[in-house]
Amino acid sequence: MATTHFDRTTLAKRFHALSDPTRLAILSLLERGESCVCDLQGALGAAQSRLSFHLRVLREAGLVVDRKDGRWSWYQIVPDAMRPLQDALDGFVAGVGVGAGAGAAVPGSAASLVGAPRTAARATRASLGRDLPVVGMADATGCCG
Amino acid sequence: MATTHFDRTTLAKRFHALSDPTRLAILSLLERGESCVCDLQGALGAAQSRLSFHLRVLREAGLVVDRKDGRWSWYQIVPDAMRPLQDALDGFVAGVGVGAGAGAAVPGSAASLVGAPRTAARATRASLGRDLPVVGMADATGCCG
DNA sequence: TCAACGTATCTAGTTTTGTTGATTTGTCAA
DNA sequence: TTGACAAATCAACAAAACTAGATACGTTGA
């Protein structure tokens, strides 16, 4: 629990690493297991320096690790690095419809506006977000209370 | 199943919407339920136009919806929009250690390099990624095979 | 030792993002 | 009406991200 706390900057950095189609493609390939750069290059048809750039972004975000073997570099996904992201998403999903509402002034019909809260909510609840500095909101003394 | 397929561009766009601390803070606030812009503004202490900008990014990514009520705008998370992201992450996590390996040339010891594949892998397997155009890789005829 | 190879890094140019302050639009209440 | 307010949009700028080409570096095999 304690170590699962991630500041938003770290979280944002990891999400950013996922915010590019090329990097998603890389991860998609790595899903199947470790892969060397040259294979990724062949599969993606991307320029070498470009691929190297994206691998660095993923690496610096902690989403993948590399291992040198002779003249090759092998990359692999770090599952644990994905978990805080999953937790954050779980929180965003699970929280909807549960809270007391912002101002409780007008809401009401809003609940049915978007896809009704699925009962199939994830088992894993968020460990993040809930304990982040979410100031105010509680007493609904905002502008439109 | 069929509708769960998301091209990488859409997926990347949504992840990008999550790649900013301010936007994560917004979503964290919206976790508790619908909220009006002014309340978010008060809670985050962000300039109005800045908040509006970030809300637009979230809105255009489909992660939130807005609802006008008089002179106020109320924002709410769209849970369904998070699901493809969760699925993608699930795939990245679940896939590790399962695949046959890229080239099967050197791997082997690599499996223990990073956090060993948790048995507590998510129930929900990815519906994305697996069916994306992941070319090559299968026959391991790469540079370093 | 040397050439070829796989990768990382550097450079420069372009594009995208994020911030700020000003303006605009629509709504409400006096 | 008119003025105050909530929020979106615009314009201008700075910072960050992405790409491509060139180059540097370590490894390998001849």
Side-chain angles (χ1 to χ4, degrees):
Chain A
M1 287 291 173
T3 55
T4 322
H5 181 285
F6 272 72
D7 61 300
R8 286 203 188 99
T9 306
T10 303
L11 209 51
K13 185 176 183 179
R14 292 199 180 167
F15 275 127
H16 172 257
L18 296 172
S19 71
D20 180 278
T22 301
R23 292 196 288 269
L24 289 177
I26 291 172
L27 290 172
S28 186
L29 288 167
L30 293 181
E31 246 179 53
R32 291 115 184 272
E34 203 180 35
S35 179
C36 76
V37 176
C38 50
D39 276 339
L40 295 174
Q41 197 174 339
L44 296 171
Q48 188 266 320
S49 69
R50 186 170 154 235
L51 186 55
S52 197
F53 167 78
H54 287 298
L55 283 170
R56 165 137 78 144
V57 173
L58 289 169
R59 193 174 359 107
E60 290 184 344
L63 297 183
V64 303
V65 282
D66 67 324
R67 175 175 68 86
K68 310 291 181 186
D69 178 34
R71 66 179 105 167
W72 297 298
S73 285
W74 294 80
Y75 280 81
Q76 199 173 29
I77 288 175
V78 179
D80 286 343
M82 303 287 176
R83 303 239 154 73
L85 308 185
Q86 293 176 311
D87 289 343
L89 291 178
D90 286 344
F92 296 151
V93 171
V96 174
V98 172
V106 190
S109 64
S112 58
L113 210 163
V114 290
R118 299 264 186 88
T119 50
R122 295 310 191 67
T124 314
R125 282 283 298 202
S127 60
L128 162 128
R130 232 160 293 283
D131 52 335
L132 287 170
V134 175
V135 280
M137 303 300 294
D139 50 359
T141 52
C143 59
C144 38
Chain B
M1 287 291 175
T3 55
T4 323
H5 181 286
F6 271 72
D7 62 300
R8 287 204 188 97
T9 305
T10 303
L11 209 51
K13 185 175 182 179
R14 291 197 181 169
F15 276 126
H16 172 256
L18 296 172
S19 72
D20 180 278
T22 301
R23 291 196 289 269
L24 289 177
I26 291 172
L27 289 172
S28 186
L29 288 167
L30 293 181
E31 246 179 54
R32 291 118 185 271
E34 202 180 35
S35 179
C36 77
V37 176
C38 51
D39 275 339
L40 294 174
Q41 197 176 339
L44 296 171
Q48 188 266 321
S49 68
R50 182 168 157 238
L51 186 55
S52 197
F53 166 79
H54 287 297
L55 283 169
R56 165 137 78 143
V57 173
L58 288 169
R59 194 176 355 110
E60 290 184 345
L63 297 184
V64 303
V65 284
D66 66 324
R67 176 175 69 84
K68 311 290 182 189
D69 178 36
R71 66 180 105 167
W72 299 298
S73 286
W74 295 79
Y75 280 81
Q76 198 173 30
I77 289 176
V78 180
D80 287 342
M82 303 288 177
R83 304 239 153 73
L85 308 185
Q86 294 176 310
D87 289 344
L89 291 178
D90 286 344
F92 295 151
V93 171
V96 174
V98 172
V106 189
S109 65
S112 59
L113 209 163
V114 290
R118 299 264 186 89
T119 50
R122 294 309 190 67
T124 314
R125 283 282 298 199
S127 59
L128 161 129
R130 229 160 295 284
D131 52 336
L132 287 172
V134 176
V135 280
M137 303 300 294
D139 49 0
T141 52
C143 59
C144 39

